[in-house]
Amino acid sequence: MDRRGDEPRGLSSHDRAVSAALAASFQEGWQDTDLKVPRTSGADYAARRRAAVSDRFPGERIVIPSGGFKIRSNDFDYPFRPHTAFVHLTAEQAADAIPDSVLVFEPTGQGHTVLLFTRGRSPRDGGPNGAEFYSDRRHGEFWIGRRRTLAETADALGLEVAPRDTLERALAGDTPTRVLRGEDALVDSLVPENTRDETELRTFLSELRLVKDEWEIAQLRAAVGFTVAGFHDVARELPRATALARGERWIEGTFNRAARLEGYGLGFETIAAAGAHACALHWMRNDGPVREGDALLLDAGVEADSFYTGDVSRTIPVSGRFTDVQRRVYDLVFAAQSAGIAAVRPGARFGDFHEAAMRVIAEGLDSWGLRPSADSATTPAADRYRRYTLCGSGHMLGLDCHDCASARTENYLGGVLEPGHVLTVEPGLYFQPDDLTIPEELRGIGMRIEDDFVVTADGVECLSSGLPRHPDEVEAWTTALRSA
Ligand code: GLY
Ligand code: MN
């Protein structure tokens, strides 16, 4: 992990030195500006989540860093994306998020006071940090733009705020402390390791995200809506993609433009896989052609400004019509997904939808004479069919694409679905191009259909229903949009 996010980054070899006279001139002649930052709509919901953390860890200091910039190359960073747990507990919004912020729960007699340590604006008064404004290309406002003042951050998030440079004092003393480690080098150095079990904190924070509240569901609805719109954009660009040597990049770029336009960006790197590339589950190189006659597997998600993400896959006949063999594979994946969706309801086990989808796939492959073991499709040995599917048929979705990843098995894979769970159902078939156990006509076909669902009090709602799923409808949609 890159731990250098907090360090100032001075001028580079190609920058001109700042003379004393220029430095002095930076200290005067500036007008006060007012950002008028609105309170984030998620602030009250985040306050409830903080109350849950406080209840769970009475008498302990809890420290949740946002993390900082991560280097992409030399003196350029990736766009800043705060740690998911930090976002969940603050409802911080994309473009406003300030690197190296730290949320501290300080125990009191009754519970905790919560303080957010963060950066204010770059001072221009010639004080100890006075050169940051023009000489720190990482944090200086001349380089990266205006930040909120501490008071503006307090207003935006509904939190008490303190300057980051008072963090050291705040974390001193022998109060029992748990930290989300590995995100902030200064925090890690200030809190001795193993004062308290930190896995327990990570697990709690992950499980706190299992059931989404109404605000989170609204954010996910928006993120999935933007994702669906990006898929429509891609279908319109299919003719252009087929004319280019690296058509997959055109597909990727088309989706990514929609993601940046409507949201903060991508929930994960876009998978634009034409032809046999679709047999790689996470094909992100996207450097191949898109040919008429190919099926294109697009697996992509827009991360909204709230940092919640969509995650949708469609396998699209580039010409507008599946070939016979493509249609046969699509029909089987469609049937598997339909069976999986039918198994999603409150009270069902999380594993049920995967098992329902896998049963359909195993029986389908069996009926094609594709039997990787002598056992029937319904025995545990049907696991061997995973030669053609490999991954599970879905996952929790939220701030992370693969959300709640530190939840305990008994509460996730082995748990029971309840209202507010948001998950994907995404069975697939991947016939590797070099797989000698299958007929030649199947080799090099990869297909996945993925939709996003929220479990409701009496069933399930599909958030991605703005995209066709049935093969006839996918063909009609592709044909209509590619000629639009
Ligand atoms: N959409 C990528 C994945 O679920 O693994
Ligand atoms: Mn997925």
Side-chain angles (χ1 to χ4, degrees):
M1 171 165 303
D2 171 19
R3 295 173 173 227
R4 284 175 287 173
D6 188 25
E7 287 173 10
R9 182 180 284 145
L11 301 179
S12 290
S13 51
H14 62 276
D15 290 320
R16 297 186 159 272
V18 174
S19 67
L22 180 57
S25 95
F26 277 124
Q27 293 175 29
E28 56 196 26
W30 306 106
Q31 185 180 31
D32 268 349
T33 57
D34 182 1
L35 269 190
K36 298 205 177 7
V37 190
R39 171 73 53 95
T40 160
S41 60
D44 291 345
Y45 293 89
R48 275 176 230 160
R49 296 173 208 137
R50 292 195 294 272
V53 173
S54 176
D55 287 348
R56 172 64 184 76
F57 297 105
E60 298 185 27
R61 182 185 289 153
I62 303 295
V63 186
I64 315 285
S66 70
F69 285 121
K70 295 183 171 67
I71 294 174
R72 182 184 181 283
S73 152
N74 185 28
D75 54 359
F76 281 96
D77 296 308
Y78 290 101
F80 175 58
R81 203 283 190 185
H83 190 279
T84 288
F86 178 89
V87 175
H88 195 231
L89 297 175
T90 58
E92 179 61 284
Q93 297 286 301
D96 298 330
I98 299 173
D100 312 315
S101 299
V102 182
L103 196 61
V104 177
F105 294 70
E106 189 63 31
T108 59
Q110 290 74 40
H112 292 82
T113 51
V114 183
L115 256 182
L116 178 64
F117 292 84
T118 189
R119 288 171 200 282
R121 300 201 54 194
S122 295
R124 305 188 200 168
D125 55 5
N129 204 18
E132 175 195 287
F133 173 59
Y134 56 86
S135 70
D136 182 343
R137 52 170 61 227
R138 187 168 233 173
H139 302 294
E141 291 189 344
F142 204 116
W143 289 93
I144 62 162
R146 188 194 187 296
R147 268 190 302 276
R148 294 179 305 219
T149 62
L150 294 180
E152 286 164 350
T153 293
D155 286 348
L157 302 181
L159 274 164
E160 268 187 69
V161 171
R164 178 177 164 94
D165 54 21
T166 61
L167 188 59
E168 188 158 354
R169 203 172 347 121
L171 296 187
D174 53 6
T175 308
T177 302
R178 292 187 213 240
V179 176
L180 212 54
R181 238 168 239 288
E183 298 304 323
D184 189 311
L186 176 65
V187 170
D188 289 356
S189 72
L190 292 174
V191 182
E193 260 183 77
N194 298 324
T195 48
R196 279 284 188 278
D197 179 0
E198 282 144 13
T199 312
E200 220 177 301
L201 174 62
R202 210 170 275 277
T203 300
F204 177 78
L205 294 171
S206 207
E207 293 185 353
L208 190 60
R209 300 202 307 274
L210 277 167
V211 174
K212 273 68 180 174
D213 60 39
E214 58 187 340
W215 184 82
E216 293 184 284
I217 291 169
Q219 305 314 307
L220 282 159
R221 201 182 292 287
V224 177
F226 299 147
T227 302
V228 166
F231 274 68
H232 288 301
D233 289 352
V234 163
R236 279 187 211 100
E237 291 294 321
L238 286 171
R240 183 78 191 263
T242 58
L244 299 166
R246 297 207 286 182
E248 289 176 348
R249 289 283 163 89
W250 193 260
I251 300 298
E252 175 190 335
T254 301
F255 186 85
N256 294 7
R257 183 183 59 218
R260 282 295 279 170
L261 196 62
E262 301 294 351
Y264 186 48
L266 302 170
F268 53 93
E269 289 300 308
T270 296
I271 297 165
H277 288 164
C279 300
L281 294 174
H282 284 177
W283 176 259
M284 294 170 175
R285 292 181 229 167
N286 302 345
D287 59 354
V290 175
R291 301 183 193 89
E292 298 286 348
D294 279 346
L296 168 75
L297 195 164
L298 177 65
D299 180 344
V302 176
E303 182 180 73
D305 281 336
S306 58
F307 295 109
Y308 287 80
T309 189
D311 178 15
V312 172
S313 302
R314 282 294 180 275
T315 308
I316 302 166
V318 174
S319 68
R321 284 295 298 269
F322 289 112
T323 64
D324 288 349
V325 66
Q326 286 169 352
R327 175 70 185 236
R328 186 149 63 95
V329 177
Y330 191 100
D331 282 346
L332 183 50
V333 176
F334 176 76
Q337 198 206 19
S338 303
I341 295 167
V344 176
R345 71 182 85 87
R349 290 181 313 121
F350 180 87
D352 287 350
F353 74 88
H354 170 70
E355 282 163 26
M358 272 309 289
R359 183 175 300 242
V360 169
I361 282 186
E363 287 173 356
L365 294 180
D366 212 33
S367 75
W368 296 356
L370 265 179
R371 195 178 240 205
S373 86
D375 304 281
S376 114
T378 54
T379 68
D383 196 49
R384 302 258 302 267
Y385 289 86
R386 289 181 56 213
R387 180 181 176 96
Y388 312 121
T389 62
L390 186 59
C391 59
S393 303
H395 52 84
M396 294 294 186
L397 180 71
L399 284 165
D400 288 330
C401 172
H402 296 166
D403 208 28
C404 312
S406 298
R408 287 163 293 183
T409 304
E410 61 266 34
N411 293 331
Y412 186 166
L413 270 188
V416 170
L417 294 178
E418 53 182 295
H421 280 166
V422 176
L423 66 152
T424 70
V425 180
E426 52 171 310
L429 272 170
Y430 312 96
F431 296 116
Q432 302 302 320
D434 53 353
D435 189 340
L436 299 178
T437 70
I438 51 177
E440 207 167 334
E441 60 173 0
L442 289 177
R443 292 180 203 160
I445 294 180
M447 296 204 172
R448 172 160 70 249
I449 314 171
E450 176 177 28
D451 287 281
D452 302 336
F453 297 89
V454 53
V455 179
T456 60
D458 52 4
V460 68
E461 179 195 343
C462 181
L463 299 175
S464 45
S465 59
L467 280 177
R469 200 171 70 79
H470 187 280
D472 291 343
E473 289 166 9
V474 171
E475 287 187 338
W477 170 77
T478 311
T479 303
L481 284 192
R482 58 167 284 152
S483 53

